[in-house]
Each structure stands twice: as structure tokens, then as C-alpha cells.
Amino acid sequence: MNRFRDFLESVFYRRNKEAILAYVILLAILVLYSLNQNDFFSRYGSQSIFNQVITLVVASLAQTLVVLTRGIDLSIGAMIGLTNSIAATIMEPISNMVTNQWLGIIITIFIVLAVGCIAGLLNGLIIVFGRFQPIIVTLATASIFGGIALYIRPTPGGSVPYVYSEVLTGRILTFIPVSAVVLGIFIFLVWFPLRRSKLGQSIYAIGGNEYSAFVSGIKINRTKLWAYTLAGLFSACGGLLLTAQTASGDPLGSNLFTLNSIAAVVLGGTTLAGGRGGFVGAVAGASILSLVLGLLIFWGIPSFYQNAVQGLILLLALSIGVLPQLGRKLKFLKVNGKGETP
Amino acid sequence: MEQVKLKSLENSSAINVFKKFGILKIYLVMTGLYMVSGLIQPNYFSVDHIMQLLLISSFLGIVAIGQTLVILTGGLDLSVAYMLNLGAVIMTQVSVEHGGTIALLVMLSAGLVFGALNGIGVAYLHISPIIMTLAMGSILKSVTYVYTSGNPKGTAPEFLRFLGTGSFLGIKMAIWIWILLSIFVVVLLSKTTFGRKLYSIGTNANVSYLSGVKNNYIIILVYMLSGLFSVLAGMMLVGYYGLSYIGMGDTFLLPSIAAVVIGGTSIMGGRGGYAGSLAGAVIIYILMSITTVFDMNDAGREIIYGLVILIVLFLYSREANKR
């Protein structure tokens, strides 16, 4: 019992308590999976599950950083589509040019990540120095990125070296899925250090109260630029992972990631008002949204119902906190209008 | 912090409206762009082309009515695409079995009911508008798929074909309907207490609540109206095409937001109005007509579209430098 109280008082719990509901739902889904799928505990089962969730999880990390600063990024899907199109178009030619597959792949990865950073930085520059609402700027840049992706790859197609897909969607040591390793890298080597860094603290401070953050000496503009740039970088990572999974490029097929990443972030307990929440919850949120379809398939429910189930889970998760208060008269509107960035 | 004033008092004369929201600027941009398109392609100066342009814009214009109302309260409606789609499939499928009148009633009630659900989620459950309408959009997508089994049946009833393709006094019926709805919503916003309350919620929800405005009712009404106008746009589209298909509304979602923003309405709520959104919808289709002249593919169109929104933002949507 003492242990449990210590856990409740721990920093980890205090920082991630919003995520608990998402993990409860995820646990329930995984239990249902294990009941329905015979090879759930085999290496193939886990491999397919991690492959299903990884791209959306990485896209959610991008969205998390922006949402924490009280912004929102509607161009994440477009950036994933753009980087996916670029990767599927240039990877093989570059590999042939340098006559070494691995070198070609590495060069391509660097180019793609640079493109993601530039795209994200562009978002940040327009938002910070133009002083516009993030939602409308990223709506516009999403169109632009999508257009560029269409120029690069007018129709879905392209290809990547077989070895690239094989490695990123395969297993290491015969039973650990590479996707799980990538997920671990993003949680433990990217998110936790970032969360503890000065930049991470600044991001939370800005979302909590921009004015207070400003008078505390936090560089608002620089922090926001970093947040949007990193969102671009992680979207590019998502694009690379998607390229490995589909082994082709699709300029507009990634647009679903935009709204799904917002849904995943919110499902994980991060509020759109900024400053509260984090990536730990978004991992669960993204996993829930990705895995629901599999459950429907097991139960023989038409995939038509997938969107409704996703929507209902989202609404239920968000209503649970409010339901006890419904009987009482609410004094102030916290959410409508000014309370949150629309 | 701008003062909270009674908006409707300032709206009392048309000239003030022009001054206040820079509507004139938006209409100048629209005319200028139209001139540019005419200089590139002389055919565009013909009356036929203007009619065609307005006809095509009317569908987006009707969706933008609801979107304007929602954005004015500081919200956002991402469910318009599938609301429109649901209205369209109800129209064709129900009218085959029960006739046009029943179909119309079912369609309107669907729009109002799902809109009300949006409003209840935003007002009482405190779910932020983006998420609420996003989830509702997902649910409606499924409802549309399940209801049609992915393949909508039926065609437009007779009276709809007339509304979609017929003319009255030389002007297309769809344009007439758009004009009527526009007058209705402009009057609603500028001359009624409902309109005044709507602005006050968008300006400051707490102040509005403390002044005795029943915020929650107004918000539910606003989302109901948004649903209503979305299904109406779906109905008009059915009249225009003669049938319904899945994904009809997808091309209206982001443009509806863009039209409102191009029209000078603040995405934070409280400032703006429908007269601007109307011009915004027309501007979007003028741009599309320009891209068709240059024989641009979708890529060029998307890029231009994004750039124009950014340029418009630079023209009249910069926030004051807070620091």
C-alpha cells in the first residue's frame, strides 16, 4: 500500500495522470485482442501490432509538441505525405548513383529529415513572425505541402529498396519487432530527454500561461519555432516509417494522419488549451485508434463502423471527467469561446 | 483588449459594416481577382461565366453560412463534410421510397439533430469544438456508410432537379436560394438579439454569461444551424448532380473554413460576418477558374490555394503585437 502511495506521489504519476484513462482503454483492447487472436503472443502478432501503431504514434509526438504550446498543426498529414513521396521517389535513384544501397538509404533519410525540418520551420516562422492563428496557417501550408508532394509524385507509386522495408518492419533477435524498438527510442531517447530539457520546460510553460512564461524570461518565439520545427522533423520520421511499410509513396493518402493525430493526442489526456499532458498518453491514444479496426475485423463487424467507434471512444473518454458535474450548474464556461484555441 | 460593445448598434448602417470589418477590402480583392481572371481569359467577362461561377460558389457559400456562425462563437465545425454527405444520401434514398417531401423533412431533422448533438457536446460536456465536431464527423461518416452500404441509391426528386439546374428570371435557382439564405443570415446576425448574443459569446464567453446570455442554448442553436445549412448544401448538390455519392462533402471541409477566414472573420470568434464569407467563397472559385486557364494540375492548384490564404492573412488578419 505504501508503494502505491509513493507511486501516486511520484513525479511520473503527477506528470502523466491524464494518460491513465487512455491506458485503461488500451489495456482493455489488448485483452480483447489476446482473446481473439491466437498468435497474439507469438512474434508475428506483436510485430503486426507495433507496425500498425508506429506511424500514428510518431505523428502524435509531432502534434503533441505543438498542442502543448497552445497551437495546433493541421499540416502534419501533408508533411508525412510530402516526405513519403520524396523518399519513395529518390531512394532508389540515389542508391543506384552512389552504387551502395545502405549509403543511398542513409543519404535519403538525411534529405527527407531536412525537408521535414524546413517545412516545420516554415510553419513556425509564419505563425511566430506573422502573428497569425496556427490553425489557419497550417491549413494553408498543408495545401502547399500537399501540392509540392503532388508535383513530386502525381500518382501514388514509386518504390524503395527491398532491404529498407525489410529492416524497418522486421524483427531483431528473431522476436523483438523493429517497430517496438523505434517506439522505445521515441519514448525514452527522444521524449523523456526533451521533456526534461530547457526547451521542453519552456514548451510547457508557454502552454500554461504565455504571459507568465514571457515575464519569467522564457524566449517565446524561439521556443515556438523549435516546437513547430520538431513537429516537422517527427512528421518526416513518420513519413519514413510509412514509406517502409507501404514500400511506395502516396502524396495525399496521409491526410488522415492530421485529424487522427489530434484525436490521439486529446485521447491521451493532452488538452488543446496547452500546457498539460504529454507524449506518454498520446502513445496510448494513437494505439487505441489504430487497433480498433483489428478488433472489428475479428468480430466480423463491417469496417464501415470503424470511424463511429473511434469517434465514440474519443467522446466517451472526454466526457467521463465532466459527467459527475453535469447535475451541478457550471459557473463559467471554461471551454467555449475563449477558453481554448478553436 | 478591445472593448466589448453592442455589435448590433454599430451594424445599424451598411456603411459602418464596411468600415468596421473591412468588407470593402474583401470585395475589392474579389473584383480585382475577377478582373485578372478576365484579362487572362476574355471569355470570363461573359454573363454566362459569372452565372456559372456563382452557381458553383453557391454550394460552398451555403456550407460557409453555418461555418461562419460557428466560428463567430469561437468554435469550429469539422463535421460539415459528412453532414453534407448525409443530407445528400438521405435526399436520394428516402425520396425513392417515400417521395420528396418526406425526404426533405427527414434530411432537415437529421441536420438539426446531429447539429444539436455537436452543440450539447461543446456546451454541456465541455469538449472543445474541434474535437467534438471531428468525432461527430467520424460518426456521421460511419452512419453514411452504413445507411447506404457504401453505395447510395436513388436519384434527385423532380423539384430538386429544378432547384439545381432550373432558372428563374434568367438567374439560376441555386443562386436565388443562396441569395435568400444570405439575406436571412445577415439579418439574423445584425438585427436580432440572437445575432448579438452570438457575437458576445465569441468576444468573451464569461462576460456574456454574466450579462445574462444563456450561452449554452445559443451555442446549441448555432451548431444546429450549421448542421441545417450543411444538409441544405447537400440537397442543392444532389439537385445539381442528379445523384448522391460517398465523399461528396470532402472537398467542402477545409474550403469552408478558408472562405470564412478569407472573408475577414476572426478564427477566435467575435469579429466578422457572413458578407465577407460570401466573397470568400467566390474568391476561392475565381482562383480555381484561373488555375484551369493555365491548365494547372491539382498540384499547382493546391499550392496557389495555400499561398492565397497566407496572402489574405497578411492583408487583414494580423494580431496586435502583444509584447
Side-chain angles (χ1 to χ4, degrees):
Chain A
M1 215 50 227
N2 261 348
R3 279 233 177 120
F4 184 65
R5 206 175 60 223
D6 290 349
F7 171 73
L8 283 188
E9 286 167 2
S10 72
V11 172
F12 180 81
Y13 169 78
R14 275 209 313 274
R15 278 188 177 168
N16 297 305
K17 62 174 182 293
E18 296 94 352
I20 284 196
L21 179 62
Y23 276 94
V24 170
I25 300 174
L26 179 60
L27 193 68
I29 287 183
L30 287 176
V31 167
L32 291 172
Y33 252 84
S34 59
L35 294 177
N36 283 292
Q37 200 178 358
N38 297 332
D39 69 351
F40 180 76
F41 294 105
S42 77
R43 46 198 188 204
Y44 302 106
S46 60
Q47 184 183 347
S48 79
I49 282 192
F50 279 106
N51 281 345
Q52 274 173 56
V53 303
I54 187 72
T55 313
L56 185 56
V57 165
V58 174
S60 303
L61 173 57
Q63 191 69 267
T64 299
L65 292 173
V66 174
V67 168
L68 283 175
T69 66
R70 217 165 209 245
I72 195 161
D73 194 338
L74 296 184
S75 66
I76 281 178
M79 290 193 284
I80 292 176
L82 174 64
T83 47
N84 166 236
S85 304
I86 293 175
T89 309
I90 65 173
M91 198 173 276
E92 284 197 325
I94 288 184
S95 300
N96 296 338
M97 206 167 65
V98 294
T99 61
N100 177 339
Q101 221 165 23
W102 285 108
L103 189 63
I105 289 173
I106 287 166
I107 292 174
T108 309
I109 287 176
F110 270 105
I111 292 174
V112 167
L113 293 182
V115 168
C117 283
I118 291 167
L121 182 64
L122 195 71
N123 278 337
L125 287 171
I126 299 172
I127 289 165
V128 167
F129 295 110
R131 298 199 298 273
F132 304 129
Q133 284 302 319
I135 185 167
I136 193 72
V137 170
T138 50
L139 182 75
T141 53
S143 262
I144 296 173
F145 299 150
I148 296 172
L150 271 172
Y151 259 122
I152 292 168
R153 178 141 293 292
T155 52
S159 59
V160 290
Y162 175 73
V163 63
Y164 174 74
S165 294
E166 185 63 11
V167 164
L168 272 181
T169 56
R171 297 185 303 273
I172 46 174
L173 308 175
T174 68
F175 63 90
I176 305 173
V178 173
S179 301
V181 175
V182 174
L183 181 67
I185 288 174
F186 271 104
I187 296 176
F188 296 106
L189 299 183
V190 176
W191 171 249
F192 283 130
L194 188 68
R195 174 77 182 86
R196 298 179 60 101
S197 70
K198 191 176 158 186
L199 173 65
Q201 300 289 0
S202 305
I203 285 176
Y204 273 86
I206 288 181
N209 185 330
E210 193 165 321
Y211 180 74
S212 307
F214 174 71
V215 294
S216 321
I218 287 170
K219 305 257 185 301
I220 304 266
N221 287 357
R222 195 193 300 173
T223 307
K224 281 190 177 174
L225 282 179
W226 268 109
Y228 284 96
T229 309
L230 287 175
L233 174 69
F234 296 139
S235 300
C237 296
L240 287 170
L241 290 164
L242 186 69
T243 313
Q245 283 176 8
T246 58
S248 67
D250 185 353
L252 299 180
S254 311
N255 288 345
L256 282 177
F257 283 109
T258 302
L259 296 179
N260 279 347
S261 70
I262 297 172
V265 167
V266 173
L267 198 54
T270 305
T271 57
L272 289 183
R276 282 217 335 271
F279 181 50
V280 176
V283 172
S287 309
I288 293 168
L289 293 176
S290 313
L291 296 177
V292 159
L293 181 61
L295 271 189
L296 295 186
I297 292 170
F298 295 143
W299 291 337
I301 299 172
S303 59
F304 290 163
Y305 288 91
Q306 182 200 355
N307 291 303
V309 173
Q310 286 176 338
L312 286 170
I313 289 178
L314 191 59
L315 292 184
L316 284 177
L318 291 177
S319 319
I320 279 180
V322 185
L323 290 177
Q325 306 177 342
L326 270 185
R328 275 178 269 147
K329 194 147 179 63
L330 294 161
K331 259 278 157 60
F332 281 100
L333 292 161
K334 287 205 274 305
V335 178
N336 303 333
K338 292 290 161 227
E340 279 201 29
T341 318
Chain B
M1 206 48 212
E2 66 168 45
Q3 284 178 299
V4 183
K5 297 173 189 166
L6 290 180
K7 299 274 176 189
S8 69
L9 290 179
E10 298 166 12
N11 296 350
S12 51
S13 81
I15 291 174
N16 268 347
V17 172
F18 271 72
K19 268 191 200 156
K20 177 121 184 75
F21 304 131
I23 293 261
L24 194 56
K25 217 190 297 192
I26 300 157
Y27 277 85
L28 281 175
V29 168
M30 183 178 90
T31 323
L33 271 176
Y34 175 68
M35 290 297 163
V36 169
S37 77
L39 291 174
I40 296 168
Q41 170 62 280
N43 292 350
Y44 283 0
F45 281 133
S46 69
V47 176
D48 274 355
H49 174 74
I50 296 180
M51 283 298 150
Q52 196 55 35
L53 185 71
L54 289 175
L55 175 66
I56 292 290
S57 309
S58 68
F59 309 114
L60 177 62
I62 293 171
V63 178
I65 293 177
Q67 193 67 273
T68 305
L69 296 179
V70 171
I71 289 179
L72 279 175
T73 62
L76 195 70
D77 194 343
L78 295 179
S79 66
V80 288
Y82 274 93
M83 201 76 89
L84 185 156
N85 209 159
L86 183 68
V89 298
I90 287 179
M91 201 68 224
T92 54
Q93 296 214 148
V94 176
S95 64
V96 169
E97 307 221 343
H98 308 285
T101 324
I102 304 279
L104 187 68
L105 288 174
V106 173
M107 182 196 82
L108 293 179
S109 13
L112 288 170
V113 167
F114 287 117
L117 289 177
N118 270 333
I120 289 168
V122 171
Y124 287 100
L125 298 179
H126 288 237
I127 298 171
S128 85
I130 285 193
I131 300 297
M132 182 66 220
T133 53
L134 173 70
M136 184 56 74
S138 288
I139 292 169
L140 291 178
K141 188 175 182 174
S142 280
V143 168
T144 310
Y145 267 103
V146 171
Y147 176 57
T148 59
S149 320
N151 191 6
K153 287 167 281 296
T155 52
E158 203 48 48
F159 77 95
L160 260 195
R161 288 303 288 169
F162 171 65
L163 288 185
T165 53
S167 297
F168 176 68
L169 297 181
I171 293 178
K172 292 270 186 204
M173 279 308 294
I175 303 174
W176 279 118
I177 288 172
W178 188 24
I179 292 171
L180 288 177
L181 292 175
S182 302
I183 292 170
F184 164 76
V185 78
V186 168
V187 169
L188 184 79
L189 284 176
S190 58
K191 299 285 180 218
T192 64
T193 50
F194 172 76
R196 203 184 310 163
K197 288 169 179 171
L198 199 148
Y199 277 107
S200 77
I201 292 175
T203 311
N204 190 325
N206 288 341
V207 168
S208 156
Y209 176 81
L210 294 173
S211 338
V213 175
K214 294 199 165 33
N215 285 9
N216 289 352
Y217 297 156
I218 301 288
I219 283 170
I220 289 174
L221 256 177
V222 161
Y223 283 93
M224 282 169 84
L225 283 172
S226 179
L228 183 72
F229 286 117
S230 298
V231 293
L232 279 175
M235 179 187 89
M236 297 306 298
L237 269 180
V238 167
Y240 181 67
Y241 286 126
L243 51 93
S244 63
Y245 56 93
I246 296 281
M248 253 179 142
D250 292 1
T251 49
F252 289 89
L253 176 57
L254 298 180
S256 75
I257 301 168
V260 175
V261 171
I262 290 174
T265 298
S266 157
I267 196 91
M268 301 298 286
R271 283 205 320 276
Y274 182 65
S277 313
L278 191 154
V282 177
I283 285 174
I284 286 174
Y285 283 100
I286 293 177
L287 284 172
M288 288 196 177
S289 72
I290 293 179
T291 51
T292 29
V293 178
F294 287 120
D295 198 19
M296 271 184 196
N297 44 11
D298 289 347
R301 188 170 297 169
E302 294 276 321
I303 292 173
I304 284 197
Y305 184 60
L307 284 175
V308 165
I309 296 178
L310 290 179
I311 291 166
V312 166
L313 286 180
F314 267 103
L315 285 178
Y316 49 73
S317 177
R318 295 196 71 179
E319 290 173 27
N321 194 346
K322 294 193 189 86
R323 293 185 289 278

